Amino acid sequence: MIARKLPALTRETAPFWTGGERGELLIQRCATCGLYQHPPLPICARCRTETVGPEAVSGKGRVRTFTVNHQAWLPGLDEPFVFAAIELAEQAELYVFSNVLGDPGAVTSGMPVKVCFEHHEDVWLPLFEADFEAGHAG
């Protein structure tokens, strides 16, 4: 397990960071208009209601864009590593920014990925790995 800076848990963000305990990627969704939004906000960005709350999603998506980092930004951080914008399958332009595990040279734009979780203290970090069952992954 590599060293990571952990997020602070707030009322809005705690479900996202702790859903991995149950194997769930929880993304905020509006009960009024159905919009998924990430990062979570106190109100819906579309209809401005307060009827937002966490909902489990499939955890599947595609790498929209990515960078391969060759510098360890924290002590103990392995490099090179991939930081990517993952577009989740549930909604166009619904992004989670995270690491893609595995061989950095195998990551491509459009690559299908699925969520996995890395547990640190009270946080389950959502990371992504190639989803070979979804089609071409590299």
Side-chain angles (χ1 to χ4, degrees), residues 12-13 28 37-42 94-95 97:
E12 282 90 15
T13 65
Q28 192 179 67
Q37 60 186 19
H38 186 77
L41 300 167
L94 175 62
Y95 297 106
F97 295 88

Side-chain angles (χ1 to χ4, degrees), residues 19-34:
E21 182 177 16
R22 296 174 308 285
E24 295 179 329
L25 180 60
L26 298 174
I27 300 294
Q28 192 179 67
R29 189 171 195 192
C30 179
T32 301
C33 73

Side-chain angles (χ1 to χ4, degrees), residues 87-100:
E87 186 173 26
L88 296 179
E90 281 70 19
Q91 179 180 290
E93 299 182 0
L94 175 62
Y95 297 106
V96 171
F97 295 88
S98 186
N99 296 118
V100 177

Side-chain angles (χ1 to χ4, degrees), residues 61-63 100-114 129-138:
R62 294 197 177 271
V63 173
V100 177
L101 304 177
D103 176 11
V107 176
T108 61
S109 291
M111 178 176 132
V113 291
K114 61 184 175 182
E129 60 190 4
D131 186 359
F132 295 105
E133 295 175 6
H136 178 66

Side-chain angles (χ1 to χ4, degrees), residues 1 21 32 34-35 38 40 58-59 62 72 77 95 116 119 128 131 138:
M1 203 172 305
E21 182 177 16
T32 301
L35 178 75
H38 186 77
S58 67
R62 294 197 177 271
L77 186 62
Y95 297 106
C116 58
H119 180 216
F128 290 83
D131 186 359

Side-chain angles (χ1 to χ4, degrees), residues 1-3 69-82 99:
M1 203 172 305
I2 58 179
N69 291 271
H70 294 275
Q71 179 175 346
W73 296 102
L74 295 171
L77 186 62
D78 294 335
E79 43 84 18
F81 63 94
V82 174
N99 296 118

